[in-house]
Amino acid sequence: MFLIRYGEIGLKGKNRSYFEKKLVSNIKEMLKPYEGVTVERNTGRIIVHNEKDDEKIGEALSRVFGISGVCPVTICDKKIEEIEKAAFQIFEKLLKDGPKTFKVEASRADKTFPMSSREINVHLGDFLLNAFSDLKVDVHHPDILLHVEIREEAYLYSAEIKGMGGLPLGTSGKGVLLLSGGIDSPVAGYMAMRRGLHVYPVYFHSPPFTSEKAKQKVIDLVKTLGKYNPVFQLRVVYFTDVQKKIIEHCPENMTTIIMRRMMMRIAEKFAEELEGKALVTGENLGQVASQTIDALGVTNASVHLPVLRPLIAFDKVDIIQIAKKIETFETSILPYEDCCTIFVPKKPKTRPKLLDAVKAEEGIDWDSLINEAIEKTEVIDIVTRA
Amino acid sequence: MNIYLDNSATTKPFDAVVDEMMKYYKEMYGNPSSMHKIGAKADALLKEARRMLEKSLHAEQNTVIFTSGGTEANNIAIRGLVYGKMRRGNKIITSRIEHPSVLNTFQSLEEEGFQVKYLSVDGEGKINLEELKDALDEDTIFVSIMHVNNEVGTIAPLRDIDAIIRSKNSEICFHSDGVQAYMKTELDLKKWGIDAYSMSGHKIGGPKGIGALYIKKGSNIKPTVFGGNQEMGLRSGTENVPGIAGFYKAVEIYEKNKENFTLHMAEIKRYMMAQVKEEIKDIKINGPETEDGAPHILNISFLGVRGEVLLHALEEDGIYVSTGSACSSRKSTGSHVLKAMGCQKEEIEGAIRFSFSPFNTTEEIDDTVASLKKQTEILRKFKRR
């Protein structure tokens, strides 16, 4: 059994129950592969009941956004003898590898319980000292801090697995992620998800300029992000004709920025269809020519939805560090070309003006090209059960 | 439509090969080392297959061992023979256009302290025999030169090379990687003095995961894989019996049809070369255009097009080929073979390897050339600037 601790949700006032419900359903989704699991929510607590797979379930829970900590918990009748028995079992395991110091910290939500918190501390402390010769009290820096909570039943727990923090997935609505296959965009997706955004990734595929392997790489990246969200819907846009038209029609030094604008427009169309409220990109101020502040402005002007750029102020080394932590890095650095790298102009404009971009786009029926690209989009459901 | 022109990467196994293998998976699954009759049956096959390969090489009995493939054969031969001779000298020689399983083994030996000479090649991929003569000295113990180059099809004159080596010093060991050559070019180990020769099953309609190595009788070769001393102690580990059965079958089929197969592939190659030259502008044939080239490998650079992109464009038309070796803008390496041949950057970037089987038809080549013509015209418009 696990007691779920969640940090920020507690701060959300009247919305709290909405956040908690979402968290419960996300936990259920994450634990789907395991049998005999029930998730219970009452009086500001989420408890996960399970019969087996303790270790795997604890680890899976630590990957659910919105959870700050996961405590393996023992629940028993709120009788002092039962509590003693439960405490004995917990310490028996913990003392296997040598002497330890400890402290008991009781709290009594149910005031009908005959002992006060202080009395429980003293009583259980004495009991444990008598039971185990390897045990010493240390109230300041104990090795083991035993929490005892008296509610409708008694809850005992001592360890905590650190959680992801953030907000439950979906509590910030939906957003469309522009996923390239590079290092940055999966990290941006992860960070937006961590703040509760339900992310729908979009990949721009330009065969024959980009290969099946590049597409498979993006699928693999989405599977890797599946650690945090078992069910994704990936959209693979057929981008070849749009890209060809850009290369044919627009001045060379503007091709990248116009390509970005077209991608944004396509992503926004998907967002509208999904009732999404934002676009998410891995853009990072000044990293490449299309990410100067001027270029970002010109890209932004192509859409109405807010464009979230979680990595905007990060240094590359910091992005790489997160990419390694979430295990997307190894896949991201595979050397397949994506549609952003195949037609890199020799001298891209680093300070493009919106007017120039609009002028460069004139004379082409982009809407019908975009609609065609959307019609030819392949939607892939990616279910990851880690 | 499916047109498979990547037969140097691997071939589709013959149906008879797959059937033969099934027998050894389902019925005669014994371990050749077992004492009972199920094992004995596997052992009998092993002997028969070994003899078949030896005959195909015109080699003596008990000179062929089975390996897990060409790469392992090259590793066992190079390292084993070099270690066997290391007391006599320290210099080993190979060429710049070898397969990675040879080049990387040499590199590893170089790290161990051996002195390595990498012979250069000319614009057709032929090694300079004068340079070889000059490189051979008292300290030289080992030479490895591939028989047919896997990217451009150049055939090395093994007989001449062997003569040059012997005239300098008969103690020097000579190995050749014959993975792309075996069953597709002339070979007579009774007349040619080669010490070791590597082969692979899946390049001739056999299964993957099986190869073989010829080692001349009396060679001093040190084992580099240790275990139960199978395969004359050089390749320990239970033999891949179904793989050997499949390889055996493929060799049998090739032996029966060798002349027809080779002539047919050569004809296909000639036909395609002529068609491409006639239909498509700005191309360059890499490697020999004459008999000095293997019958099944044709390497062409399409200038102004990136090989990788052309490969995927052909794929859209159901045609499967290969670029020289993997190359991309992020990790711009390009083919080491074309580089050694002195090709320009644009030629390396636009190179495609077409490799044939005895079953490709001129109709398939017509379709391929039509697709090439169409796709290069489109792609040249979208040239990377």
Side-chain angles (χ1 to χ4, degrees):
Chain A
M1 263 172 293
F2 297 92
L3 177 76
I4 305 300
R5 291 174 164 268
Y6 36 89
E8 272 187 65
I9 303 175
L11 305 172
K12 296 292 170 191
K14 283 180 187 160
N15 290 327
R16 182 171 170 149
S17 130
Y18 166 70
F19 280 86
E20 284 177 351
K21 273 184 198 154
K22 198 84 195 169
L23 183 56
V24 168
S25 87
N26 292 350
I27 289 173
K28 283 182 179 161
E29 184 65 48
M30 189 66 91
L31 297 184
K32 237 181 199 166
Y34 302 100
E35 278 170 41
V37 175
T38 54
V39 185
E40 166 202 6
R41 178 175 79 100
N42 63 15
T43 55
R45 291 269 137 160
I46 294 174
I47 304 281
V48 173
H49 296 268
N50 65 309
E51 285 148 17
K52 48 183 195 220
D53 305 319
D54 273 352
E55 212 159 290
K56 282 183 187 162
I57 289 173
E59 193 275 327
L61 286 167
S62 74
R63 287 187 266 114
V64 177
F65 292 122
I67 293 178
S68 63
V70 179
C71 308
V73 67
T74 309
I75 301 177
C76 62
D77 279 351
K78 50 186 169 187
K79 289 183 193 133
I80 193 68
E81 311 82 61
E82 293 296 316
I83 296 171
E84 281 172 4
K85 214 186 279 170
F88 183 89
Q89 277 165 0
I90 291 172
F91 275 77
E92 207 175 24
K93 272 187 210 153
L94 292 173
L95 287 170
K96 265 185 192 149
D97 35 307
K100 297 252 163 62
T101 61
F102 84 112
K103 176 188 177 181
V104 180
E105 205 163 279
S107 71
R108 188 180 54 149
D110 173 10
K111 302 293 180 199
T112 64
F113 191 75
M115 293 163 94
S116 74
S117 302
R118 228 188 75 80
E119 283 166 346
I120 301 170
N121 290 344
V122 173
H123 181 91
L124 264 188
D126 279 345
F127 166 79
L128 288 166
L129 280 173
N130 282 332
F132 300 100
S133 57
D134 270 357
L135 213 49
K136 260 193 203 147
V137 175
D138 182 343
V139 292
H140 299 296
H141 305 288
D143 297 330
I144 305 165
L145 178 60
L146 178 70
H147 293 270
V148 182
E149 291 185 17
I150 311 293
R151 299 168 163 268
E152 64 292 353
E153 285 172 294
Y155 295 76
L156 287 81
Y157 55 93
S158 63
E160 181 175 300
I161 309 162
K162 211 168 148 34
M164 302 296 306
L167 296 172
L169 200 73
T171 55
S172 301
K174 294 174 184 169
V176 171
L177 168 70
L178 286 84
L179 192 63
S180 72
I183 296 169
D184 299 345
S185 49
V187 175
Y190 159 79
M191 292 182 70
M193 283 158 65
R194 193 165 170 266
R195 293 310 296 172
L197 195 73
H198 192 163
V199 157
Y200 286 77
V202 174
Y203 168 65
F204 295 88
H205 191 36
S206 264
F209 303 105
T210 60
S211 68
E212 274 305 299
K213 286 186 178 171
K215 176 178 147 191
Q216 187 56 46
K217 172 180 166 180
V218 170
I219 293 172
D220 291 343
L221 282 172
V222 174
K223 279 186 185 158
T224 309
L225 289 176
K227 284 204 293 286
Y228 308 107
N229 175 25
V231 184
F232 270 111
Q233 201 173 61
L234 170 68
R235 283 170 169 71
V236 179
V237 179
Y238 179 78
F239 198 55
T240 310
D241 292 340
V242 178
Q243 199 158 15
K244 276 185 179 172
K245 193 55 94 182
I246 296 170
I247 305 295
E248 276 176 331
H249 181 76
C250 305
E252 193 204 340
N253 61 1
M254 294 293 283
T255 49
T256 308
I257 189 107
I258 289 167
M259 185 185 75
R260 305 283 309 165
R261 284 165 61 83
M262 296 304 157
M263 289 176 170
M264 289 289 196
R265 283 182 203 169
I266 291 171
E268 190 177 49
K269 292 245 180 186
F270 288 131
E272 279 164 14
E273 176 194 315
L274 293 161
E275 295 178 4
K277 295 179 180 112
L279 306 180
V280 183
T281 76
E283 285 163 319
N284 171 246
L285 191 57
Q287 192 183 94
V288 290
S290 64
Q291 297 178 14
T292 62
I293 195 71
D294 304 75
L296 291 178
V298 176
T299 307
N300 235 47
S302 62
V303 289
H304 306 289
L305 282 179
V307 180
L308 307 183
R309 299 180 171 90
L311 308 181
I312 195 69
F314 277 52
D315 283 351
K316 193 79 187 184
V317 283
D318 301 324
I319 299 171
I320 287 173
Q321 205 176 357
I322 302 175
K324 284 184 176 164
K325 192 184 92 182
I326 65 175
E327 295 172 326
T328 53
F329 184 74
E330 289 297 314
T331 308
S332 284
I333 57 173
L334 293 174
Y336 309 124
E337 303 244 25
D338 60 51
C339 56
C340 299
T341 60
I342 43 176
F343 292 117
V344 184
K346 279 216 179 77
K347 277 190 181 156
K349 258 203 156 84
T350 50
R351 299 187 167 212
K353 296 205 170 56
L354 182 53
L355 210 64
D356 294 337
V358 173
K359 228 187 225 162
E361 287 169 14
E362 265 170 17
I364 301 290
D365 182 5
W366 295 107
D367 281 342
S368 62
L369 275 167
I370 284 175
N371 286 335
E372 218 173 290
I374 289 172
E375 265 165 45
K376 289 187 185 167
T377 292
E378 183 190 1
V379 180
I380 306 174
D381 288 308
I382 297 177
V383 181
T384 319
R385 299 283 178 206
Chain B
M1 186 173 72
N2 249 358
I3 301 178
Y4 186 75
L5 301 179
D6 199 12
N7 290 283
S8 281
T10 193
T11 54
K12 179 175 183 279
F14 294 114
D15 288 343
V17 164
V18 179
D19 293 345
E20 188 69 10
M21 290 176 76
M22 285 306 270
K23 277 200 256 166
Y24 284 88
Y25 275 119
K26 292 193 155 179
E27 294 153 35
M28 291 172 269
Y29 47 80
N31 185 329
S33 299
S34 294
M35 309 289 279
H36 47 65
K37 64 180 178 193
I38 308 179
K41 270 187 184 162
D43 194 43
L45 166 87
L46 206 64
K47 286 207 177 76
E48 228 179 279
R50 199 187 311 283
R51 196 63 209 121
M52 175 86 207
L53 260 78
E54 285 158 355
K55 277 184 185 157
S56 77
L57 299 166
H58 305 282
E60 279 181 79
Q61 219 162 342
N62 292 326
T63 50
V64 165
I65 63 160
F66 288 102
T67 67
S68 69
T71 290
E72 195 184 46
N74 284 338
N75 271 265
I76 291 174
I78 298 170
R79 199 170 284 277
L81 289 167
V82 168
Y83 285 170
K85 290 267 177 198
M86 63 191 293
R87 282 205 197 147
R88 293 179 171 273
N90 194 48
K91 186 172 175 183
I92 54 183
I93 298 174
T94 187
S95 83
R96 293 192 186 283
I97 60 165
E98 298 294 314
H99 186 267
S101 58
V102 171
L103 280 180
N104 289 338
T105 304
F106 267 80
Q107 208 170 32
S108 142
L109 289 167
E110 202 171 3
E111 280 160 22
E112 288 176 27
F114 289 95
Q115 188 204 338
V116 180
K117 169 73 184 172
Y118 297 95
L119 299 174
S120 55
V121 296
D122 66 10
E124 287 191 346
K126 293 178 184 157
I127 62 162
N128 182 341
L129 297 180
E130 290 304 314
E131 194 187 4
L132 172 65
K133 265 182 211 162
D134 294 342
L136 292 163
D137 59 16
E138 283 305 303
D139 200 31
T140 306
I141 52 172
F142 183 79
V143 178
S144 180
I145 303 288
M146 80 198 306
H147 195 180
V148 165
N149 180 269
N150 56 317
E151 289 188 32
V152 295
T154 315
I155 303 176
L158 296 191
R159 218 175 163 173
D160 299 346
I161 294 171
D162 188 68
I164 291 171
I165 295 172
R166 300 302 156 213
S167 71
K168 280 272 176 174
N169 178 355
S170 61
E171 287 294 322
I172 297 172
C173 264
F174 178 32
H175 163 254
S176 182
D177 170 2
V179 166
Q180 294 291 349
Y182 183 54
M183 288 291 151
K184 290 163 193 163
T185 51
E186 194 203 343
L187 182 67
D188 187 340
L189 294 182
K190 196 159 52 180
K191 293 186 191 146
W192 307 8
I194 302 169
D195 295 288
Y197 192 81
S198 307
M199 294 152 275
S200 169
H202 72 114
K203 311 288 191 193
I204 55 164
K208 293 163 190 65
I210 192 74
L213 175 65
Y214 159 84
I215 308 148
K216 195 193 231 164
K217 272 263 166 76
S219 298
N220 181 17
I221 178 166
K222 294 263 182 267
T224 44
V225 179
F226 297 90
N229 286 333
Q230 287 91 341
E231 298 301 293
M232 308 176 201
L234 289 171
R235 205 280 181 179
S236 285
T238 299
E239 297 88 346
N240 174 1
V241 177
I244 291 167
F247 193 3
Y248 176 18
K249 196 75 194 172
V251 172
E252 206 174 65
I253 295 170
Y254 253 88
E255 274 285 287
K256 257 187 220 146
N257 303 283
K258 207 156 149 194
E259 211 181 319
N260 286 341
F261 281 2
T262 325
L263 286 175
H264 179 79
M265 289 190 285
E267 180 51 36
I268 291 285
K269 176 176 168 177
R270 256 196 304 278
Y271 182 71
M272 177 153 185
M273 196 152 37
Q275 291 298 306
V276 170
K277 277 181 177 169
E278 195 173 310
E279 296 290 330
I280 303 166
K281 279 183 299 189
D282 297 328
I283 59 127
K284 183 186 165 251
I285 309 284
N286 301 309
E289 295 186 31
T290 57
E291 313 292 68
D292 296 348
H296 63 300
I297 297 175
L298 176 59
N299 190 308
I300 307 176
S301 292
F302 297 86
L303 305 182
V305 180
R306 294 187 44 234
E308 192 188 321
V309 173
L310 182 55
L311 178 149
H312 293 307
L314 291 172
E315 185 178 5
E316 284 177 357
D317 291 339
I319 299 162
Y320 302 95
V321 298
S322 155
T323 57
S325 62
C327 157
S328 83
S329 70
R330 290 190 190 176
K331 211 176 176 181
S332 197
T333 45
S335 154
H336 71 283
V337 175
L338 297 181
K339 255 185 222 165
M341 286 164 58
C343 291
Q344 300 300 306
K345 187 169 173 274
E346 203 188 0
E347 293 165 356
I348 297 173
E349 270 186 4
I352 293 279
R353 179 187 68 182
F354 305 90
S355 48
F356 311 110
S357 82
F359 310 103
N360 287 125
T361 61
T362 47
E363 290 75 36
E364 286 181 325
I365 300 304
D366 288 338
D367 290 342
T368 303
V369 175
S371 169
L372 276 167
K373 190 176 156 92
K374 177 186 78 180
Q375 298 291 7
T376 48
E377 272 168 24
I378 297 171
L379 295 177
R380 277 174 176 160
K381 279 197 268 177
F382 299 100
K383 187 173 157 183
R384 186 201 289 263
R385 292 173 283 203

